[in-house]
Amino acid sequence: AFRRDWQPLKWMAFLLTVVYTGTWVSDYVEHAGGTRFLELSWLLPYLAAFFVFFAAIPTWRSLRLREPIDAFGQVLTVANGIVHFVFAAVALHEQHRAWLGLVAVVVTLLYAGVSSQLVRQPSLDAKGLRVFTGTAAGFLLLATPYLATGPSITLIWCVQTVFLAWACTRPRFEFLQLHVFGMLAIILVRLFAYDGLLSTQWAGGEARYIPLAELRSWPAFAAAVTFGLTARLLGRMPSIRVPAGTVLGIGCLVLLAAVDGEAHRLARHTIAPLASAGLHSLIQAGLLIAVMCALWFGAATRLGSVLPWTVAFALAAALTLLT
């Protein structure tokens, strides 16, 4: 199948390998001790060989033979990475999470290396570059939750997003803007689901709260900066699919929500810890409106066309009432 253009045999080779590899992984999870067909010391090397074997086919044809990647090569590159990572995750998830992150990083570096070689070729294979670069970006995203914990995950994703946004400004890598928008959406979900954005449950770890002294305060502000930098970088691209002003406006909303959370904790644990709830709310509202005015009159005056004054103050009131 590698030497000849026998497409059915290629698909059969990959799909049947997935089937019997899946049975081994399933047997490893369901049975303990000596009743397993393959222990981890045998299963992991086989998974690695399985991945390298099928990854070598489209890579060899793209780099050495300089053939445009075909449909089978495109599907094989993405599917092989997904299947390999899923099988490794099932086998290693419980006790070897760090190894999963290492696997994802290694795959990221391999596909990034292939992409760098494709760019240097005289005749660019645009589809091949999209497939290999997109797969590398996907595995870079997957590696983070296995190598970091808590708020650090969001912070690392913010750095990765800015890096991908910068890569979009390089020639031939404009297609990465889809990954950038996907990363921004994931960061937003992470802020609300895990980092406590707009949550009243997090009241500060100590009796006297110091703003930004805890790691849990950083993700929301880092996300706001990420949206701002991403909007600035994507604004340089003529073929951007989402207006940069929209990205910047969302970043401003995240920043206001982050400031609101800090004002909530600051009012209740530092400025007036013994005062009534009504006074806490007034202090919180004053801090939020003061920061918002500084934002509009200072560094972000250009946002007036994106977020009118009435919307801004309505948002401030809604945030204060919510928290």
Side-chain angles (χ1 to χ4, degrees):
F2 175 74
R3 297 180 60 86
R4 299 178 181 272
D5 191 21
W6 290 348
Q7 294 295 334
L9 190 57
K10 293 179 181 180
W11 290 107
M12 290 173 61
F14 177 70
L15 294 177
L16 293 178
T17 304
V18 171
V19 170
Y20 68 72
T21 304
T23 61
W24 281 347
V25 174
S26 177
D27 177 77
Y28 174 83
V29 175
E30 293 179 0
H31 299 85
T35 61
R36 291 169 173 166
F37 291 143
L38 292 178
E39 289 300 326
L40 201 61
S41 58
W42 284 94
L43 182 59
L44 291 183
Y46 171 74
L47 287 176
F50 160 44
F51 171 77
V52 171
F53 179 78
F54 284 102
I57 296 177
T59 303
W60 176 269
R61 289 193 172 277
S62 296
L63 295 183
R64 302 298 298 177
L65 303 182
R66 296 188 176 181
E67 296 179 354
I69 192 169
D70 57 4
F72 174 77
Q74 297 177 46
V75 175
L76 181 62
T77 300
V78 178
N80 185 38
I82 294 175
V83 168
H84 178 80
F85 190 82
V86 169
F87 285 162
V90 171
L92 299 176
H93 180 75
E94 294 298 331
Q95 300 177 349
H96 307 277
R97 290 180 58 85
W99 283 102
L100 282 173
L102 180 61
V103 167
V105 170
V106 170
V107 175
T108 299
L109 295 176
L110 288 174
Y111 282 125
V114 175
S115 300
S116 65
Q117 294 296 322
L118 287 178
V119 172
R120 298 174 186 175
Q121 291 184 356
S123 57
L124 177 66
D125 180 10
K127 291 183 178 179
L129 183 64
R130 287 174 177 266
V131 170
F132 288 114
T133 306
T135 305
F139 273 93
L140 185 63
L141 169 67
L142 286 175
T144 303
Y146 291 100
L147 296 177
T149 57
S152 300
I153 296 176
T154 307
L155 297 177
I156 296 175
W157 277 345
C158 289
V159 175
Q160 293 176 4
T161 303
V162 174
F163 172 75
L164 290 178
W166 171 83
C168 287
T169 63
R170 304 296 95 186
R172 299 177 175 179
F173 287 97
E174 297 85 356
F175 59 88
L176 282 176
Q177 61 179 281
L178 296 177
H179 294 268
V180 172
F181 295 138
M183 287 289 296
L184 292 177
I186 291 174
I187 289 173
L188 284 178
V189 173
R190 175 83 188 179
L191 288 176
F192 284 98
Y194 297 98
D195 294 325
L197 188 66
L198 295 183
S199 174
T200 59
Q201 300 302 317
W202 177 31
E206 300 177 357
R208 183 173 178 83
Y209 180 74
I210 303 176
L212 297 179
E214 297 185 25
L215 182 61
R216 292 181 62 181
S217 296
W218 297 358
F221 288 97
V225 174
T226 299
F227 274 87
L229 292 176
T230 301
R232 183 177 180 84
L233 291 170
L234 295 181
R236 304 176 183 176
M237 299 174 56
S239 59
I240 184 174
R241 300 189 179 186
V242 176
T246 302
V247 178
L248 193 60
I250 296 176
C252 183
L253 296 178
V254 173
L255 178 60
L256 286 179
V259 171
D260 182 68
E262 291 300 304
H264 171 81
R265 291 179 282 274
L266 188 63
R268 282 157 177 74
H269 296 275
T270 301
I271 297 179
L274 302 178
S276 63
L279 181 59
H280 290 165
S281 298
L282 288 177
I283 296 175
Q284 178 182 348
L287 291 173
L288 179 62
I289 294 176
V291 171
M292 186 185 62
C293 290
L295 176 68
W296 253 257
F297 282 111
T301 53
R302 285 189 243 178
L303 287 179
S305 59
V306 180
L307 291 175
W309 279 92
T310 53
V311 176
F313 279 103
L315 175 65
L319 289 174
T320 303
L321 290 174
L322 179 63
T323 56

